[in-house]
Amino acid sequence: MGSQKEEVKLISFLCSPVCRRVEWGLRLKGIDYEYIEEDIFNKSNLLLELNPVHKKVPVLVHGNKAIAESLVILEYMDETWKQYPLLPQDPYERALVRFWIKFADEKVMYGGYVAMISIGEEQEKRVDEVRKGMDKLEELIKGKRFFGGDRIGFLDIALGWITYLLPVWEEVGSTKILDPLKCPAISAWVNNILNHPLLNDCLPPKDDLLAYNHRRRKQFNPSLYH
Amino acid sequence: MADEVVLLDFWPSPFGMRVRIALAEKGIDYEGREEDLSNKSPLLLKMNPVNKQIPVLIHKGRPISESLIIVQYIDEAWSNNKSPLLPSDPYQRANARFWADYIDKKIYSTGRLVWGTTGEVQEKAKEELRESFRVLEKELAEKTYFGGDMFGLVDVALIPFYSWFYTLETTANFSITEEFPRLVSWAKRCMQRDSVSNSVPDQYKIYDFLLDLKKKMHSIE
C-alpha cells in the first residue's frame, strides 16, 4: 500500500511507441507521474544510470526502483496498482495475451518498421509478411470492440502503435499496409482507440513522427533524400 | 483426463528444455511427445498454427506456445505449489522478467551465429556473446542463482544454453570455462538439480547433434 504513494517518473521519448504504451497504462490506471523527455540521439547520464544494460527508453522510476522494457514495466504496474487491471485474471487468457503481443511485436511491428525503411523488392516482401500478420490480428478482434473485449486491455495497449504510427510508416515508406476492406474490425478498433477519452490526447504529434521516421528511412537509404 | 498435460517437444531444443525443467520443478506429471521437425505432426500444426514450432504445452486440451510464456503459465496455473518460479514481490518479478527477456534477445540468436558462421561475422558474434556473458556474470554476482537463493525464471531461461557451451568453444575456439568461471559454476550448480539434469542433455550429445545438423545443411547447399 505504501509503495503506491511513492513518486512515479517516466523517462520517455516523444516518438517512441513503446514509451507510449507505458503512458497509456499510467493513464488508464489513473497514476500520477512526472514525464521526462529523453533525447535518444544524445543520451543523458540519468538514462545511462537507470538502464545501463540496454541504455534505452522507456524507464519507469517508482520511488527508488527503476524498471525497463515496456512490457515488463506494464506487468509491474499491473501487479503494483490494482485498479483497472490490464491483464486478464485467468492464467490461460494471460498466456494468450502474452503470445499475441510477442507475435505482433516480432511479425507486425518490427516487420512494419523494416518495411518503412526498405525499398523495392525487399519492401514488398516485408509488406506482404506484415499484411499476413494483420490478417491474424483481424481474426482475433472480430466481433469485439477492443482486443480486451469491452474495454481496453494489455493487448490493445501493446498494439496501440497501429493507430498512430502505422499511417506514418505508410506515408514515409510510400506503401500501404492496413487495408480497411480486408481488415474492417481493426480499422474500427483504430477509431475506437483514437476517440477514447483517456487516450485521444496522449498521441505523439504527427509532424514529429514524420520527421523522426524520415530520419530513420534516410539513414538506410541516403540516396532517396536529396 | 481433464488435467492431462502434454508437451510437444524436440530433445535438443533449448526452448523445450526450459519447459521440461519448469514442469519438473513443479512436480507436474506430463506426457512428452517427441516431434520430427522435418515431418511435423498434425497435432503440432493444429496446436500451434501460427508458428508451427515446439515447444507447445497442451493443458486441458488448450495449447500454450513460446517457452517463456509457457513457463510463466506453469507458474501461474500451478500457483499453490511450493516451488514458485517467480518471486512474489512485483519489483523482483520485474527484474526476473527483464533478465529473461535479455537472455532471449541476446543469447540464443548470437550463439547460433557463433556456431553457424565463420570469419569476421563469427568474430563479431563471439565478441557480442562475450559481452552478454560479462553482463550476466555481473548480474549473477555472488548469488547462488540469478534470483538469489531461489532457482527461478532467469535460471530456467538460461541453463539450457549450457548444453551448447562445448559446441561453441570448439567451433569458435575459446574457453567459456576460463573466461567466465562464475557463470560455469552457476551452470554446474543448476545441473545438480534433478529437474535440470533430467531435462538438459549432455554437452557432447548436443555437439554430435549440431555437427550432424551442419553436415546436413552443407549437403543441401
Side-chain angles (χ1 to χ4, degrees):
Chain A
M1 202 52 80
S3 75
Q4 291 173 0
K5 300 272 188 274
E6 287 174 294
E7 230 175 39
V8 178
K9 299 180 193 176
L10 175 65
I11 322 291
S12 175
F13 173 61
L14 189 65
C15 295
S16 156
V18 290
C19 291
R20 203 52 59 156
R21 286 174 171 172
V22 179
E23 276 208 274
W24 286 14
L26 290 163
R27 283 283 183 109
L28 289 165
K29 287 190 176 278
I31 299 164
D32 281 324
Y33 63 100
E34 183 193 338
Y35 181 97
I36 300 173
E37 178 73 6
E38 179 72 30
D39 176 4
I40 61 166
F41 297 105
N42 186 18
K43 292 176 182 178
S44 69
N45 288 327
L46 178 67
L47 177 64
L48 300 178
E49 265 173 48
L50 293 174
N51 189 2
V53 175
H54 294 304
K55 307 175 175 61
K56 286 183 178 172
V57 287
V59 179
L60 189 82
V61 182
H62 181 210
N64 60 353
K65 299 175 282 250
I67 304 112
E69 292 301 307
S70 65
L71 302 175
V72 175
I73 295 171
L74 284 162
E75 294 223 23
Y76 170 81
M77 280 165 56
D78 225 24
E79 291 171 1
T80 305
W81 291 277
K82 301 293 188 186
Q83 70 275 23
Y84 203 104
L86 301 173
L87 271 163
Q89 289 301 309
D90 173 68
Y92 184 69
E93 298 296 322
R94 292 160 75 89
L96 282 180
V97 167
R98 290 174 179 139
F99 173 84
W100 285 109
I101 292 177
K102 186 168 204 264
F103 170 81
D105 273 4
E106 287 171 7
K107 300 282 187 321
V108 189
M109 185 159 80
Y110 180 70
Y113 176 74
V114 178
M116 186 266 299
I117 58 172
S118 308
I119 52 174
E121 240 180 77
E122 173 66 24
Q123 188 187 55
E124 271 173 47
K125 196 177 120 198
R126 291 288 177 169
V127 167
D128 201 50
E129 282 170 19
V130 178
R131 282 197 190 128
K132 288 197 176 95
M134 276 297 180
D135 288 342
K136 293 202 163 72
L137 296 178
E138 174 73 12
E139 274 172 52
L140 209 57
I141 196 179
K142 241 182 180 60
K144 296 196 285 190
R145 197 167 146 72
F146 298 108
F147 286 94
D150 291 327
R151 72 205 249 301
I152 294 178
F154 202 53
L155 189 47
D156 299 277
I157 293 176
L159 294 173
W161 64 271
I162 294 173
T163 66
Y164 58 82
L165 187 54
L166 185 59
V168 169
W169 283 352
E170 287 173 332
E171 191 177 318
V172 170
S174 302
T175 182
K176 193 83 191 116
I177 292 173
L178 178 59
D179 182 350
L181 292 173
K182 279 199 83 195
C183 298
I186 294 184
S187 303
W189 168 81
V190 169
N191 265 324
N192 292 335
I193 295 282
L194 292 176
N195 291 310
H196 193 281
L198 281 176
L199 304 179
N200 64 0
D201 67 341
C202 194
L203 303 167
K206 191 166 184 189
D207 288 340
D208 292 90
L209 285 176
L210 283 167
Y212 173 74
N213 285 283
H214 273 296
R215 184 173 177 167
R216 286 302 189 198
R217 185 163 156 93
K218 184 177 177 179
Q219 248 180 293
F220 290 94
N221 308 282
S223 59
L224 287 179
Y225 292 76
H226 44 91
Chain B
M1 219 167 296
D3 245 20
E4 193 183 71
V5 181
V6 177
L7 175 63
L8 304 182
D9 202 355
F10 180 54
W11 72 268
S13 161
F15 307 106
M17 289 175 213
R18 287 168 166 180
V19 181
R20 283 172 234 160
I21 295 168
L23 288 165
E25 282 287 319
K26 293 281 200 180
I28 296 166
D29 279 324
Y30 69 99
E31 181 197 339
R33 290 200 204 171
E34 190 69 8
E35 283 284 331
D36 173 2
L37 298 183
S38 63
N39 184 21
K40 293 175 182 177
S41 73
L43 182 64
L44 173 58
L45 299 176
K46 182 177 163 205
M47 291 290 148
N48 189 0
V50 176
N51 295 323
K52 306 177 176 61
Q53 278 170 7
I54 60 93
V56 180
L57 190 79
I58 309 170
H59 183 212
K60 299 182 187 179
R62 298 187 302 186
I64 304 109
S65 307
E66 296 300 322
S67 61
L68 290 182
I69 293 175
I70 299 172
V71 171
Q72 288 197 82
Y73 171 80
I74 289 170
D75 201 43
E76 290 172 9
W78 283 271
S79 61
N80 293 326
N81 200 274
K82 54 180 161 46
S83 312
L85 295 169
L86 276 152
S88 51
D89 170 70
Y91 181 58
Q92 285 180 36
R93 291 165 74 85
N95 212 39
R97 289 182 178 125
F98 174 87
W99 285 105
D101 173 73
Y102 178 87
I103 288 160
D104 255 6
K105 282 189 168 95
K106 300 281 189 183
I107 299 294
Y108 290 92
S109 50
T110 311
R112 239 194 309 247
L113 278 177
V114 172
W115 169 73
T117 63
T118 54
E120 247 183 72
V121 180
Q122 188 188 49
E123 277 310 304
K124 184 165 170 250
K126 202 163 114 186
E127 262 324 296
E128 275 179 34
L129 190 63
R130 277 186 167 126
E131 179 54 28
S132 299
F133 282 160
R134 263 175 231 133
V135 171
L136 287 170
E137 272 205 337
K138 188 170 172 206
E139 172 57 24
L140 179 65
E142 300 300 325
K143 294 180 288 185
T144 310
Y145 299 114
F146 278 92
D149 293 326
M150 195 186 93
F151 178 81
L153 182 71
V154 183
D155 308 284
V156 174
L158 184 59
I159 191 58
F161 196 62
Y162 178 64
S163 65
W164 273 62
F165 280 15
Y166 177 70
T167 303
L168 293 171
E169 287 175 322
T170 312
T171 313
N173 192 30
F174 71 130
S175 172
I176 301 174
T177 314
E178 270 173 37
E179 291 184 41
F180 305 100
R182 219 187 267 169
L183 198 62
V184 173
S185 299
W186 160 82
K188 290 185 173 157
R189 235 175 352 257
C190 290
M191 293 296 290
Q192 280 171 11
R193 299 178 79 86
D194 285 341
S195 65
V196 178
S197 59
N198 291 334
S199 307
V200 178
D202 164 275
Q203 292 189 54
Y204 304 107
K205 238 184 138 189
I206 294 291
Y207 176 78
D208 285 339
F209 168 78
L210 290 171
L211 196 62
D212 222 33
L213 184 64
K214 220 178 221 178
K215 284 185 189 147
K216 283 193 191 120
M217 279 165 60
H218 285 252
S219 69
I220 290 167
E221 281 161 29

